[in-house]
mmCIF file of all heavy atoms in Angstrom:
data_model
loop_
_atom_site.group_PDB
_atom_site.id
_atom_site.type_symbol
_atom_site.label_atom_id
_atom_site.label_comp_id
_atom_site.label_asym_id
_atom_site.label_seq_id
_atom_site.Cartn_x
_atom_site.Cartn_y
_atom_site.Cartn_z
ATOM 1 N N ALA A 454 -24.101 -31.552 16.101
ATOM 2 C CA ALA A 454 -23.301 -30.747 15.156
ATOM 3 C C ALA A 454 -23.483 -29.242 15.321
ATOM 4 O O ALA A 454 -22.500 -28.517 15.491
ATOM 5 C CB ALA A 454 -23.577 -31.198 13.728
ATOM 6 N N PRO A 455 -24.752 -28.719 15.293
ATOM 7 C CA PRO A 455 -24.886 -27.267 15.434
ATOM 8 C C PRO A 455 -24.334 -26.744 16.753
ATOM 9 O O PRO A 455 -23.663 -25.706 16.777
ATOM 10 C CB PRO A 455 -26.397 -27.045 15.362
ATOM 11 C CG PRO A 455 -26.980 -28.282 14.820
ATOM 12 C CD PRO A 455 -26.031 -29.383 15.088
ATOM 13 N N ASN A 456 -24.580 -27.492 17.836
ATOM 14 C CA ASN A 456 -24.098 -27.028 19.140
ATOM 15 C C ASN A 456 -22.578 -26.960 19.189
ATOM 16 O O ASN A 456 -21.997 -26.006 19.701
ATOM 17 C CB ASN A 456 -24.605 -27.950 20.253
ATOM 18 C CG ASN A 456 -26.115 -27.977 20.287
ATOM 19 O OD1 ASN A 456 -26.750 -27.005 19.910
ATOM 20 N ND2 ASN A 456 -26.684 -29.108 20.685
ATOM 21 N N LEU A 457 -21.932 -27.974 18.630
ATOM 22 C CA LEU A 457 -20.469 -27.977 18.588
ATOM 23 C C LEU A 457 -19.957 -26.793 17.784
ATOM 24 O O LEU A 457 -18.998 -26.127 18.169
ATOM 25 C CB LEU A 457 -19.959 -29.287 17.983
ATOM 26 C CG LEU A 457 -20.058 -30.500 18.896
ATOM 27 C CD1 LEU A 457 -19.743 -31.777 18.121
ATOM 28 C CD2 LEU A 457 -19.109 -30.374 20.082
ATOM 29 N N SER A 458 -20.634 -26.502 16.659
ATOM 30 C CA SER A 458 -20.210 -25.378 15.814
ATOM 31 C C SER A 458 -20.248 -24.082 16.604
ATOM 32 O O SER A 458 -19.329 -23.263 16.528
ATOM 33 C CB SER A 458 -21.113 -25.259 14.606
ATOM 34 O OG SER A 458 -21.234 -26.496 13.974
ATOM 35 N N VAL A 459 -21.347 -23.890 17.350
ATOM 36 C CA VAL A 459 -21.481 -22.671 18.148
ATOM 37 C C VAL A 459 -20.341 -22.598 19.159
ATOM 38 O O VAL A 459 -19.696 -21.555 19.331
ATOM 39 C CB VAL A 459 -22.848 -22.628 18.856
ATOM 40 C CG1 VAL A 459 -22.920 -21.441 19.798
ATOM 41 C CG2 VAL A 459 -23.971 -22.561 17.836
ATOM 42 N N GLY A 460 -20.050 -23.736 19.791
ATOM 43 C CA GLY A 460 -18.975 -23.782 20.783
ATOM 44 C C GLY A 460 -17.631 -23.408 20.182
ATOM 45 O O GLY A 460 -16.889 -22.590 20.744
ATOM 46 N N ILE A 461 -17.336 -23.973 19.025
ATOM 47 C CA ILE A 461 -16.052 -23.664 18.375
ATOM 48 C C ILE A 461 -15.937 -22.164 18.138
ATOM 49 O O ILE A 461 -14.933 -21.544 18.432
ATOM 50 C CB ILE A 461 -15.924 -24.434 17.041
ATOM 51 C CG1 ILE A 461 -15.863 -25.929 17.303
ATOM 52 C CG2 ILE A 461 -14.672 -23.997 16.296
ATOM 53 C CD1 ILE A 461 -15.872 -26.771 16.063
ATOM 54 N N PHE A 462 -17.028 -21.575 17.649
ATOM 55 C CA PHE A 462 -17.000 -20.142 17.356
ATOM 56 C C PHE A 462 -16.739 -19.334 18.617
ATOM 57 O O PHE A 462 -15.865 -18.459 18.644
ATOM 58 C CB PHE A 462 -18.311 -19.713 16.702
ATOM 59 C CG PHE A 462 -18.417 -18.233 16.512
ATOM 60 C CD1 PHE A 462 -17.475 -17.550 15.731
ATOM 61 C CD2 PHE A 462 -19.430 -17.499 17.096
ATOM 62 C CE1 PHE A 462 -17.552 -16.179 15.548
ATOM 63 C CE2 PHE A 462 -19.509 -16.122 16.916
ATOM 64 C CZ PHE A 462 -18.565 -15.466 16.139
ATOM 65 N N LEU A 463 -17.473 -19.638 19.677
ATOM 66 C CA LEU A 463 -17.338 -18.833 20.902
ATOM 67 C C LEU A 463 -15.928 -18.922 21.473
ATOM 68 O O LEU A 463 -15.337 -17.912 21.837
ATOM 69 C CB LEU A 463 -18.370 -19.277 21.940
ATOM 70 C CG LEU A 463 -19.820 -18.956 21.534
ATOM 71 C CD1 LEU A 463 -20.794 -19.412 22.614
ATOM 72 C CD2 LEU A 463 -19.992 -17.466 21.249
ATOM 73 N N PHE A 464 -15.364 -20.121 21.513
ATOM 74 C CA PHE A 464 -14.018 -20.257 22.077
ATOM 75 C C PHE A 464 -12.966 -19.575 21.204
ATOM 76 O O PHE A 464 -12.019 -18.972 21.705
ATOM 77 C CB PHE A 464 -13.674 -21.739 22.293
ATOM 78 C CG PHE A 464 -14.257 -22.269 23.565
ATOM 79 C CD1 PHE A 464 -15.381 -23.089 23.552
ATOM 80 C CD2 PHE A 464 -13.709 -21.926 24.797
ATOM 81 C CE1 PHE A 464 -15.944 -23.566 24.726
ATOM 82 C CE2 PHE A 464 -14.267 -22.392 25.979
ATOM 83 C CZ PHE A 464 -15.391 -23.216 25.944
ATOM 84 N N THR A 465 -13.159 -19.648 19.875
ATOM 85 C CA THR A 465 -12.187 -18.996 18.999
ATOM 86 C C THR A 465 -12.261 -17.485 19.161
ATOM 87 O O THR A 465 -11.241 -16.799 19.234
ATOM 88 C CB THR A 465 -12.457 -19.375 17.528
ATOM 89 O OG1 THR A 465 -12.690 -20.767 17.459
ATOM 90 C CG2 THR A 465 -11.289 -19.025 16.662
ATOM 91 N N LEU A 466 -13.494 -16.985 19.246
ATOM 92 C CA LEU A 466 -13.686 -15.547 19.425
ATOM 93 C C LEU A 466 -13.027 -15.103 20.724
ATOM 94 O O LEU A 466 -12.348 -14.074 20.786
ATOM 95 C CB LEU A 466 -15.180 -15.237 19.452
ATOM 96 C CG LEU A 466 -15.562 -13.779 19.233
ATOM 97 C CD1 LEU A 466 -15.119 -13.323 17.857
ATOM 98 C CD2 LEU A 466 -17.057 -13.586 19.404
ATOM 99 N N PHE A 467 -13.182 -15.917 21.752
ATOM 100 C CA PHE A 467 -12.585 -15.596 23.042
ATOM 101 C C PHE A 467 -11.055 -15.543 22.918
ATOM 102 O O PHE A 467 -10.404 -14.610 23.399
ATOM 103 C CB PHE A 467 -13.000 -16.630 24.084
ATOM 104 C CG PHE A 467 -12.364 -16.413 25.432
ATOM 105 C CD1 PHE A 467 -12.831 -15.407 26.274
ATOM 106 C CD2 PHE A 467 -11.291 -17.181 25.844
ATOM 107 C CE1 PHE A 467 -12.236 -15.192 27.497
ATOM 108 C CE2 PHE A 467 -10.681 -16.967 27.063
ATOM 109 C CZ PHE A 467 -11.167 -15.972 27.898
ATOM 110 N N ALA A 468 -10.496 -16.548 22.211
ATOM 111 C CA ALA A 468 -9.039 -16.579 22.040
ATOM 112 C C ALA A 468 -8.568 -15.326 21.308
ATOM 113 O O ALA A 468 -7.573 -14.708 21.684
ATOM 114 C CB ALA A 468 -8.629 -17.825 21.269
ATOM 115 N N PHE A 469 -9.303 -14.928 20.293
ATOM 116 C CA PHE A 469 -8.915 -13.749 19.538
ATOM 117 C C PHE A 469 -8.999 -12.498 20.415
ATOM 118 O O PHE A 469 -8.101 -11.647 20.382
ATOM 119 C CB PHE A 469 -9.807 -13.593 18.298
ATOM 120 C CG PHE A 469 -9.343 -12.493 17.380
ATOM 121 C CD1 PHE A 469 -8.133 -12.608 16.709
ATOM 122 C CD2 PHE A 469 -10.098 -11.356 17.201
ATOM 123 C CE1 PHE A 469 -7.692 -11.588 15.872
ATOM 124 C CE2 PHE A 469 -9.650 -10.343 16.367
ATOM 125 C CZ PHE A 469 -8.450 -10.465 15.694
ATOM 126 N N GLY A 470 -10.060 -12.440 21.222
ATOM 127 C CA GLY A 470 -10.195 -11.334 22.176
ATOM 128 C C GLY A 470 -8.980 -11.262 23.092
ATOM 129 O O GLY A 470 -8.438 -10.177 23.354
ATOM 130 N N CYS A 471 -8.507 -12.414 23.548
ATOM 131 C CA CYS A 471 -7.331 -12.451 24.425
ATOM 132 C C CYS A 471 -6.104 -11.897 23.716
ATOM 133 O O CYS A 471 -5.301 -11.166 24.296
ATOM 134 C CB CYS A 471 -7.030 -13.877 24.873
ATOM 135 S SG CYS A 471 -8.288 -14.520 25.959
ATOM 136 N N LEU A 472 -5.969 -12.242 22.435
ATOM 137 C CA LEU A 472 -4.800 -11.765 21.692
ATOM 138 C C LEU A 472 -4.864 -10.248 21.529
ATOM 139 O O LEU A 472 -3.877 -9.540 21.747
ATOM 140 C CB LEU A 472 -4.732 -12.447 20.324
ATOM 141 C CG LEU A 472 -3.467 -12.126 19.520
ATOM 142 C CD1 LEU A 472 -2.243 -12.705 20.197
ATOM 143 C CD2 LEU A 472 -3.567 -12.637 18.101
ATOM 144 N N VAL A 473 -6.035 -9.739 21.168
ATOM 145 C CA VAL A 473 -6.201 -8.288 21.013
ATOM 146 C C VAL A 473 -5.898 -7.596 22.337
ATOM 147 O O VAL A 473 -5.207 -6.576 22.387
ATOM 148 C CB VAL A 473 -7.627 -7.955 20.522
ATOM 149 C CG1 VAL A 473 -7.857 -6.448 20.528
ATOM 150 C CG2 VAL A 473 -7.845 -8.511 19.138
ATOM 151 N N TYR A 474 -6.373 -8.207 23.422
ATOM 152 C CA TYR A 474 -6.114 -7.658 24.755
ATOM 153 C C TYR A 474 -4.613 -7.595 25.029
ATOM 154 O O TYR A 474 -4.097 -6.581 25.507
ATOM 155 C CB TYR A 474 -6.820 -8.518 25.798
ATOM 156 C CG TYR A 474 -6.574 -8.078 27.230
ATOM 157 C CD1 TYR A 474 -7.351 -7.054 27.799
ATOM 158 C CD2 TYR A 474 -5.575 -8.672 27.986
ATOM 159 C CE1 TYR A 474 -7.111 -6.639 29.093
ATOM 160 C CE2 TYR A 474 -5.332 -8.260 29.296
ATOM 161 C CZ TYR A 474 -6.102 -7.245 29.845
ATOM 162 O OH TYR A 474 -5.871 -6.830 31.114
ATOM 163 N N ALA A 475 -3.910 -8.666 24.665
ATOM 164 C CA ALA A 475 -2.460 -8.689 24.870
ATOM 165 C C ALA A 475 -1.785 -7.565 24.089
ATOM 166 O O ALA A 475 -0.855 -6.929 24.571
ATOM 167 C CB ALA A 475 -1.885 -10.040 24.470
ATOM 168 N N PHE A 476 -2.262 -7.306 22.900
ATOM 169 C CA PHE A 476 -1.694 -6.221 22.090
ATOM 170 C C PHE A 476 -2.012 -4.866 22.701
ATOM 171 O O PHE A 476 -1.157 -3.987 22.792
ATOM 172 C CB PHE A 476 -2.211 -6.284 20.655
ATOM 173 C CG PHE A 476 -1.341 -7.113 19.749
ATOM 174 C CD1 PHE A 476 -1.573 -8.464 19.586
ATOM 175 C CD2 PHE A 476 -0.269 -6.543 19.088
ATOM 176 C CE1 PHE A 476 -0.760 -9.231 18.771
ATOM 177 C CE2 PHE A 476 0.545 -7.299 18.274
ATOM 178 C CZ PHE A 476 0.302 -8.645 18.115
ATOM 179 N N LEU A 477 -3.266 -4.697 23.138
ATOM 180 C CA LEU A 477 -3.675 -3.392 23.674
ATOM 181 C C LEU A 477 -2.950 -3.069 24.972
ATOM 182 O O LEU A 477 -2.684 -1.908 25.265
ATOM 183 C CB LEU A 477 -5.191 -3.373 23.898
ATOM 184 C CG LEU A 477 -6.023 -3.184 22.619
ATOM 185 C CD1 LEU A 477 -7.495 -3.273 22.937
ATOM 186 C CD2 LEU A 477 -5.693 -1.846 21.960
#
Side-chain angles (χ1 to χ4, degrees):
Chain A
N456 300 331
L457 286 171
S458 310
V459 174
I461 295 174
F462 174 59
L463 292 180
F464 278 104
T465 315
L466 197 62
F467 177 76
F469 187 66
C471 292
L472 186 67
V473 173
Y474 177 84
F476 269 91
L477 282 176

